């Protein structure tokens, strides 16, 4: 009998899929593998009837899986999601295998936020909730996307609303979310405690440095006021700036060190205030008769 009308498309795409797989695995020509995957997806066409064809869906999904791997091998992982969506158009239509690979990929490169909206849209689509892979994908989305981002309430909402989970599995997932929330809270508390311990030490050192700078500027001010008339013509600001820079060298601040930045910022403010205080009482001496 005559082959189905859709056979040539998937047949051509299947041949391109085989070529792409060989280029990926045997020859490690990742760019050429992506080209074959794109050609295969284009050969299938965008017809809505094709989406209902199991053979069409299988070949298209496999082409995208090989393409994802090839892009990742070229360190072009940032392009993966947009590349896949050009063939499936909306997140809700992504095959479970493709969604799984995308979640794992962006989790591995520590960019789980990329899959936040995509995964949510896919999981909330009514048509996907009857798929056998739905429960495992929800668990993966919770573990690799929501929990690393601290979205604990959203994770609980998804888990409690999933009819695929029985009582034991539900309790296990809720326990995992609770444990992750506790670890998150402990890290935040530890970080806050470390900052609080560092602040008094910073203020103490800054106080010592500030006092030294004030002493040096006070001595300089007295010297300026006792100078003769010709000294008035010297560039005060440049001399004070040189004194300030010399002070930084003396106290050995490292501008490249993050811990030195607050010192330098506050000392600059202090220098400006001292500069104004030094110049304010100094007037041009009267011209002698």
């Amino acid at each position: 009998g005559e082959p189905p009308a859709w056979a040539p498309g998937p047949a051509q795409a299947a041949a391109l899929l085989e070529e792409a797989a060989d280029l990926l695995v045997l020859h490690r020509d990742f760019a050429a593998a992506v080209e074959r995957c794109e050609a295969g997806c284009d050969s299938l066409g965008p017809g809505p009837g094709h989406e209902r064809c199991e053979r069409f869906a299988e070949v298209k999904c496999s082409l995208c899986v090989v393409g994802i791997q090839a892009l990742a091998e070229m360190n072009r992982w940032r392009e993966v999601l947009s590349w896949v969506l050009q063939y499936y158009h909306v997140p809700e239509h992504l095959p479970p295998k493709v969604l799984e690979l995308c979640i794992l990929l962006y989790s591995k490169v520590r960019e789980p936020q990329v899959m936040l909206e995509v995964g949510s849209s896919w999981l909330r689509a009514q048509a996907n909730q009857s798929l056998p892979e739905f429960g495992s994908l929800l668990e993966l989305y919770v573990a690799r996307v929501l929990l690393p981002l601290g979205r604990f309430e959203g994770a609980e909402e998804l888990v409690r609303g999933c009819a695929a989970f029985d009582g034991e599995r539900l309790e296990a997932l809720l326990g995992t979310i609770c444990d992750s929330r506790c670890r998150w809270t402990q890290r935040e508390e530890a970080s806050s405690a470390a900052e609080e311990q560092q602040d008094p030490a910073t203020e103490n050192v800054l106080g010592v440095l500030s006092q030294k700078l004030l002493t040096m500027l006070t001595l300089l001010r007295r010297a300026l006021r006792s100078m003769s008339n010709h000294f008035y013509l010297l560039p005060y600001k440049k001399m004070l700036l040189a004194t300030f820079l010399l002070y930084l060298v003396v106290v050995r601040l490292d501008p490249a060190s993050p811990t030195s930045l607050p010192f330098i910022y506050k000392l600059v403010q202090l220098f400006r205030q001292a500069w104004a205080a030094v110049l304010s009482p100094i007037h041009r001496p009267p011209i002698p008769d």
Side-chain angles (χ1 to χ4, degrees), residues 232-258:
Y232 180 80
L233 301 177
L234 292 178
Y236 298 113
K237 193 170 185 177
K238 289 184 178 179
M239 190 171 70
L240 283 175
L241 179 58
T243 303
F244 174 67
L245 294 176
L246 177 61
Y247 173 75
L248 291 183
V249 173
V250 170
V251 299
R252 297 181 182 180
L253 288 177
D254 179 10
S257 173

Side-chain angles (χ1 to χ4, degrees), residues 18-36 66-76 108:
E18 185 175 355
E19 289 184 32
D22 287 343
L23 288 167
L24 174 68
V25 178
L26 299 180
H27 304 286
R28 300 188 66 80
D29 188 344
F30 307 124
V34 172
E35 291 178 0
R36 298 299 190 282
V66 173
I68 290 171
Q69 183 64 33
L71 288 170
E73 292 285 354
M74 292 188 290
N75 201 29
R76 291 168 56 187
K108 183 177 181 180

Side-chain angles (χ1 to χ4, degrees), residues 54-118:
E54 182 178 353
R55 175 63 173 163
F56 174 95
E58 180 183 349
V59 173
K60 185 176 180 180
C61 176
S62 298
L63 285 165
C64 287
V65 167
V66 173
I68 290 171
Q69 183 64 33
L71 288 170
E73 292 285 354
M74 292 188 290
N75 201 29
R76 291 168 56 187
W77 52 267
R78 294 177 181 83
E79 305 173 30
V80 164
L81 186 59
S82 59
W83 184 82
V84 167
L85 287 176
Q86 71 179 321
Y87 300 114
Y88 288 98
H89 309 297
V90 293
E92 294 86 343
H93 293 168
L94 291 175
K97 185 62 177 178
V98 171
L99 179 64
E100 178 185 7
L101 284 179
C102 289
I103 291 176
L104 291 173
L105 172 63
Y106 285 102
S107 172
K108 183 177 181 180
V109 297
R110 298 183 179 181
E111 295 287 345
Q113 69 277 4
V114 174
M115 296 302 299
L116 188 61
E117 296 298 328
V118 173

Side-chain angles (χ1 to χ4, degrees), residues 40-256:
C41 289
D42 291 339
S43 72
L44 292 172
H50 290 164
E51 297 292 348
R52 295 189 294 269
C53 171
E54 182 178 353
R55 175 63 173 163
F56 174 95
E58 180 183 349
V59 173
K60 185 176 180 180
C61 176
S62 298
L63 285 165
C64 287
V65 167
V66 173
I68 290 171
Q69 183 64 33
L71 288 170
E73 292 285 354
M74 292 188 290
N75 201 29
R76 291 168 56 187
W77 52 267
R78 294 177 181 83
E79 305 173 30
V80 164
L81 186 59
S82 59
W83 184 82
V84 167
L85 287 176
Q86 71 179 321
Y87 300 114
Y88 288 98
H89 309 297
V90 293
E92 294 86 343
H93 293 168
L94 291 175
K97 185 62 177 178
V98 171
L99 179 64
E100 178 185 7
L101 284 179
C102 289
I103 291 176
L104 291 173
L105 172 63
Y106 285 102
S107 172
K108 183 177 181 180
V109 297
R110 298 183 179 181
E111 295 287 345
Q113 69 277 4
V114 174
M115 296 302 299
L116 188 61
E117 296 298 328
V118 173
S120 177
S121 298
W122 193 94
L123 291 168
R124 296 182 188 279
Q126 193 69 32
N128 294 330
Q129 294 180 8
S130 59
L131 296 175
E133 302 93 343
F134 181 81
S136 59
L137 278 175
L138 191 151
E139 287 188 63
L140 184 68
Y141 177 72
V142 167
R144 298 298 187 94
V145 179
L146 294 184
L147 297 187
L149 294 175
R151 304 296 185 99
F152 305 110
E153 294 182 0
E156 289 182 358
E157 179 186 351
L158 276 177
V159 170
R160 292 185 184 278
C162 180
F165 297 150
D166 54 24
E168 184 176 349
R169 191 176 181 187
L170 176 64
E171 290 301 321
L173 287 174
L174 292 176
T176 300
I177 296 172
C178 182
D179 292 342
S180 180
R181 189 200 298 267
C182 291
R183 288 192 298 269
W184 182 284
T185 303
Q186 290 173 357
R187 286 194 299 268
E188 288 187 337
E189 291 176 350
S191 178
S192 299
E195 291 178 359
E196 291 176 359
Q197 291 176 359
Q198 185 177 1
D199 287 342
T202 301
E203 293 298 330
N204 184 38
V205 175
L206 181 61
V208 174
L209 297 179
S210 301
Q211 186 61 40
K212 291 182 179 180
L213 179 59
L214 282 174
T215 301
M216 295 177 68
L217 291 176
T218 300
L219 294 174
L220 178 61
R221 178 182 176 185
R222 292 175 181 173
L224 287 173
R225 295 182 65 182
S226 64
M227 291 296 177
S228 59
N229 294 340
H230 73 277
F231 190 75
Y232 180 80
L233 301 177
L234 292 178
Y236 298 113
K237 193 170 185 177
K238 289 184 178 179
M239 190 171 70
L240 283 175
L241 179 58
T243 303
F244 174 67
L245 294 176
L246 177 61
Y247 173 75
L248 291 183
V249 173
V250 170
V251 299
R252 297 181 182 180
L253 288 177
D254 179 10

